[in-house]
Amino acid sequence: MEVIVGIDVSKDRLDVQVVPSGEAFAVGNDHAGVEELAGRLIALAPQAVALEATGGYERLAVAGLSAAGLSVVVVNPAQVRAYAQALGRHAKTDAIDAAVIAAFVAATRPQIRPLRDGETQALAELVARRRQIVAMIVAEENRARTAIGRQAQKSIKRLLTALRRELQSLDADLDDHIRNSAVWRVKEKLLVSVPGVGPATARTLLAEMPELGLLDRRQIAALAGLAPWTRQSGRWQGKRFIGGGRDKVRAFMAALVAAKHNPLLKAFRDRLVAAGKPKIVAIVATMRKLLTILNAIMRDQKPWQSA
């Protein structure tokens, strides 16, 4: 029988459940614990090792187990909880969660995609840090507009100066990261050839969607959470909506569409609005079209060509 391993991740511990044997154990969520876990799992030769996305606590285990040659899949915690509720499993402990994760993977057979390599992960961390710094700058700029006292204003000004300096440093690190890889230089050049796509957006796509150019248009839209879900029951037909996927990519797509820097995309969106489509529907459709264009450019390795 196939062996599936479910792992519940917490800050300090990894709770492990093996299906169908029922073996359960726990290790520390640190380098020593992950090394011990990899050794034990290699001996079991599992078809899949599944962990929930936990906002970062799973990264060490995912990296260590993948490096050991194990087939690792990161699953959506909301889907796992919905599966548990469908089975009537309302109790919740770390050991139970690990068992539910293993059962979920055994039942749903999620696709195991190759994980990002070391360079891509490093770029993703830099891009994420840049995004955090930009968010802090925006927050401080908003506070500066409402601050009345001179001391508060001086404090905000000092912090903004430091944050902007850090942003420049991160941009330099990103430039170095891209320049040091001939492959990445080519990819970035292809992406920024599209009007409205700048270096920050291109690097976000490279870091967050390494599958760009490797999937078809439907798969890449679903991966970004831009594929509409149908809601229908009998004669009732609900509105379709989007969700899931990689929200960071979706946010950048929205920013690009709103910027109106691409005449082709602007004309596409305007046609949809003129045809009576709600503006939000037109924006989502335009986001999906832009992502399809970028996917085709990466697939064909040919830069943007205006009509």
Side-chain angles (χ1 to χ4, degrees):
M1 297 180 67
E2 291 187 344
V3 176
I4 306 292
V5 178
I7 302 176
D8 183 72
V9 181
S10 61
K11 181 178 179 180
D12 300 314
R13 198 170 79 163
L14 302 173
D15 285 271
V16 184
Q17 181 81 25
V18 182
V19 172
S21 69
E23 180 184 358
F25 59 93
V27 297
N29 190 3
D30 51 28
H31 289 284
V34 171
E35 186 175 348
E36 176 190 346
L37 176 59
R40 295 181 68 166
L41 295 186
I42 288 172
L44 297 174
Q47 274 62 50
V49 179
L51 308 88
E52 281 186 336
T54 59
Y57 291 139
E58 79 282 1
R59 288 178 183 169
L60 179 61
V62 169
L65 297 177
S66 300
L70 294 161
S71 298
V72 179
V73 58
V74 180
V75 296
N76 186 325
Q79 292 178 330
V80 175
R81 290 312 306 162
Y83 176 77
Q85 291 170 0
L87 295 179
R89 298 184 182 181
H90 301 295
K92 190 180 188 308
T93 67
D94 293 341
I96 290 174
D97 286 350
V100 170
I101 292 169
F104 170 78
V105 171
T108 60
R109 304 288 176 173
Q111 182 181 0
I112 300 176
R113 295 190 181 94
L115 296 171
R116 294 180 291 190
D117 59 27
E119 283 192 7
T120 306
Q121 289 179 353
L123 179 65
E125 289 180 356
L126 286 174
V127 169
R129 185 57 185 159
R130 186 186 190 280
R131 186 166 52 247
Q132 292 164 1
I133 295 295
V134 170
M136 286 189 278
I137 289 174
V138 171
E140 289 302 309
E141 287 176 340
N142 290 336
R143 293 187 185 102
R145 296 188 185 98
T146 58
I148 299 175
R150 180 179 298 178
Q151 289 181 324
Q153 291 176 347
K154 289 175 64 177
S155 174
I156 292 171
K157 185 176 180 181
R158 286 196 302 269
L159 185 52
L160 277 172
T161 299
L163 288 171
R164 286 167 179 153
R165 189 183 304 119
E166 183 61 25
L167 183 62
Q168 291 177 346
S169 177
L170 282 170
D171 283 338
D173 290 340
L174 284 165
D175 287 339
D176 290 341
H177 202 93
I178 295 293
R179 280 198 299 266
N180 288 336
S181 170
V183 173
W184 284 51
R185 286 199 304 272
V186 171
K187 290 182 177 181
E188 184 186 38
K189 188 174 181 179
L190 286 169
L191 291 175
V192 299
S193 71
V194 179
V197 178
T201 302
R203 291 164 186 178
T204 296
L205 290 169
L206 290 173
E208 301 292 344
M209 295 197 74
E211 301 90 348
L212 203 62
L214 304 177
L215 304 177
D216 64 33
R217 60 186 179 86
R218 292 183 179 85
Q219 291 172 322
I220 205 68
L223 196 60
L226 290 173
W229 297 2
T230 300
R231 299 164 67 196
Q232 183 270 336
S233 179
R235 295 183 179 181
W236 177 80
Q237 184 72 41
K239 292 182 179 180
R240 298 200 299 173
F241 63 96
I242 62 170
R246 299 180 184 171
D247 56 344
K248 298 181 183 67
V249 173
R250 209 160 51 246
F252 264 88
M253 293 292 102
L256 282 178
V257 172
K260 304 178 184 178
H261 288 310
N262 190 307
L264 184 148
L265 294 173
K266 182 179 184 299
F268 175 77
R269 190 198 63 179
D270 291 346
R271 282 198 304 272
L272 292 176
V273 173
K277 297 291 185 183
K279 286 187 177 181
I280 185 62
V281 173
I283 289 174
V284 170
T286 310
M287 290 160 60
R288 189 162 57 248
K289 184 175 181 65
L290 173 57
L291 188 60
T292 299
I293 290 171
L294 295 171
N295 189 56
I297 283 175
M298 294 297 288
R299 180 196 64 215
D300 300 336
Q301 296 290 292
K302 294 180 179 179
W304 166 271
Q305 294 178 346
S306 58

